Amino acid sequence: MSDRPQSRAGGDDNRVRRLSLRSADVDQVRSFGGRHFYPRKFLHPLGRSGRLDARFDLLQVGALTIGDVRYGADVTLGYENPDAYQVGVPLAGRLETHQGGRAIIGAGTQAGLFRVGEDVVIDRWAADCRQLGVKIGRELLEGRLQTLLDAPGTVPLKLSAQLDISTGMGHSWAALVRLIAAEFSNETGLLREPLIVHQLQETLIMGLLMACDHPYRAELARQGRAYRPAPVRRAIDAIQADPQHPFTVAELARAAGVSVRTLQTAFRSHLGCSPMAYLRQVRLDRAHQELRASDPRHTTVTQIAYRWGFVHLSRFADAYRARYGTTPRETLREP
């Protein structure tokens, strides 16, 4: 076991620490994980042997931690009253969790998001599961949000249960996490430079706020419009004004005053997705708002899905669960 600083960059906020653990001892693993991520209420191997083959490789940057975590056995564990936000980027295997009534799955293209102040129970961390856990201090994330909004927001921040890392900003954010984690053994790389470390920390925090769903995401997107080129803004305005319209990418390009190829390139550069993917996301958000506001005695999920252009109900349900961590039907029935 190694649990000591191995590398530093100047300044408290930019100080980099490399920590590692290799252990089969349950108590040692629980203590280490609780010290550097969330306090462990319990950690129990599910196999008959009761042993682990745990590996932790952590990079700590101020109030931000990125950890490559494996338990090497099927385990269940619980976190009590988490005091930081956390994202689990899956590298292999499957993680099944619940927090405050939300089902959270970390596997494949879905990263799990954990909130502050709500107990977490990982029902099953599979033996082959390997995750990059990203822990962000509460004051760091909430402070950055308030700075970006230039106004106080309601906290703790209600993050969605999942982050889709297969496309768009979620994909870019997860790629950056993997890139930083790969620097664990490179003690002479860019993480020696305080300015680089500071910028990476800022990018990760702001990127998460822009990529995942929460009550202020739309406002942050509006704040960012000033930094987008005019053709992108014109296409966005057309979509936002009438998201139910059966747009084609050619029609959006005409509204933007550019070619289809130019518009697609600009969208990917400034929003991390294609114009049609952005349109689908706006429609999904509008459907979500309508589901929350509707009376299930008079409205059905099918009606709302069709109204917002989702003709394949199974695909709509899958996309909705990936974004909001629940089903359209459950949202419609919530009091």
Side-chain angles (χ1 to χ4, degrees):
M1 171 185 175
S2 171
D3 186 5
R4 65 182 187 278
Q6 297 180 353
S7 178
R8 294 173 180 250
D12 288 343
D13 290 340
N14 298 335
R15 184 165 60 94
V16 174
R17 305 173 70 220
R18 288 172 167 83
L19 306 168
S20 62
L21 173 74
R22 306 288 186 275
S23 179
D25 183 86
V26 172
D27 290 335
Q28 189 179 50
V29 172
R30 179 169 52 235
S31 175
F32 185 90
R35 192 158 60 249
H36 300 295
F37 282 103
Y38 287 160
R40 264 59 169 168
K41 186 176 181 180
F42 63 85
L43 169 62
H44 302 309
L46 296 175
R48 292 183 178 180
S49 68
R51 291 182 61 82
L52 307 175
D53 183 16
R55 299 183 60 181
F56 289 71
D57 290 316
L58 312 184
L59 283 170
Q60 291 186 335
V61 185
L64 188 149
T65 299
I66 298 177
D68 185 344
V69 181
R70 287 165 276 186
Y71 286 96
D74 286 1
V75 299
T76 180
L77 59 154
Y79 308 137
E80 190 171 23
N81 193 27
D83 60 353
Y85 297 95
Q86 190 166 305
V87 187
V89 176
L91 296 179
R94 183 178 178 86
L95 179 71
E96 299 173 4
T97 311
H98 65 270
Q99 181 186 33
R102 302 181 308 148
I104 302 173
I105 303 297
T109 62
Q110 298 300 314
L113 301 173
F114 301 103
R115 300 172 177 173
V116 165
E118 299 177 6
D119 290 359
V120 178
V121 175
I122 295 180
D123 303 288
R124 181 172 178 267
W125 179 301
D128 63 344
C129 182
R130 180 183 178 189
Q131 298 239 332
L132 291 178
V134 182
K135 175 188 173 185
I136 303 176
R138 177 176 181 175
E139 292 183 1
L140 196 61
L141 189 70
E142 294 174 0
R144 179 57 59 225
L145 174 65
Q146 292 179 5
T147 299
L148 291 171
L149 294 175
D150 195 24
T154 301
V155 294
L157 188 60
K158 297 296 185 182
L159 301 178
S160 61
Q162 313 285 151
L163 173 62
D164 184 355
I165 59 173
S166 65
T167 188
M169 288 185 283
H171 175 78
S172 300
W173 189 84
L176 180 59
V177 171
R178 289 191 288 266
L179 179 65
I180 296 173
E183 289 294 296
F184 178 81
S185 60
N186 185 8
E187 297 188 39
T188 60
L190 288 176
L191 294 186
R192 289 172 55 90
E193 300 299 326
L195 182 60
I196 296 293
V197 171
H198 175 73
Q199 292 299 326
L200 284 173
Q201 179 175 266
E202 288 293 299
T203 301
L204 279 176
I205 294 167
M206 294 178 66
L208 181 63
L209 288 170
M210 296 298 295
C212 74
D213 189 55
H214 54 79
Y216 302 102
R217 188 179 188 222
E219 177 63 22
L220 288 178
R222 285 192 291 270
Q223 296 266 2
R225 288 177 61 195
Y227 302 100
R228 295 170 184 162
V232 174
R233 293 201 303 271
R234 287 194 289 266
I236 288 175
D237 287 343
I239 290 171
Q240 293 286 353
D242 189 11
Q244 290 175 294
H245 182 79
F247 286 107
T248 64
V249 67
E251 186 176 359
L252 288 172
R254 286 195 297 271
V258 295
S259 68
V260 168
R261 183 175 181 179
T262 297
L263 184 65
Q264 289 176 328
T265 300
F267 259 72
R268 292 194 181 281
S269 175
H270 293 274
L271 282 83
C273 65
S274 69
M276 300 310 290
Y278 179 84
L279 172 62
R280 286 191 295 273
Q281 192 56 66
V282 170
R283 289 174 172 172
L284 192 64
D285 288 343
R286 298 293 177 90
H288 174 63
Q289 294 169 14
E290 187 171 347
L291 285 165
R292 293 181 62 186
S294 297
D295 186 337
R297 294 173 297 180
H298 307 297
T299 306
T300 67
V301 170
T302 300
Q303 290 172 328
I304 294 174
Y306 285 169
R307 184 152 44 243
W308 292 105
F310 296 99
V311 296
H312 298 286
L313 294 181
S314 61
R315 294 179 188 173
F316 170 66
D318 289 343
Y320 191 93
R321 181 186 288 277
R323 183 161 178 80
Y324 299 106
T326 186
T327 67
R329 189 176 303 278
E330 287 168 345
T331 300
L332 182 62
R333 290 177 177 175
E334 285 180 356

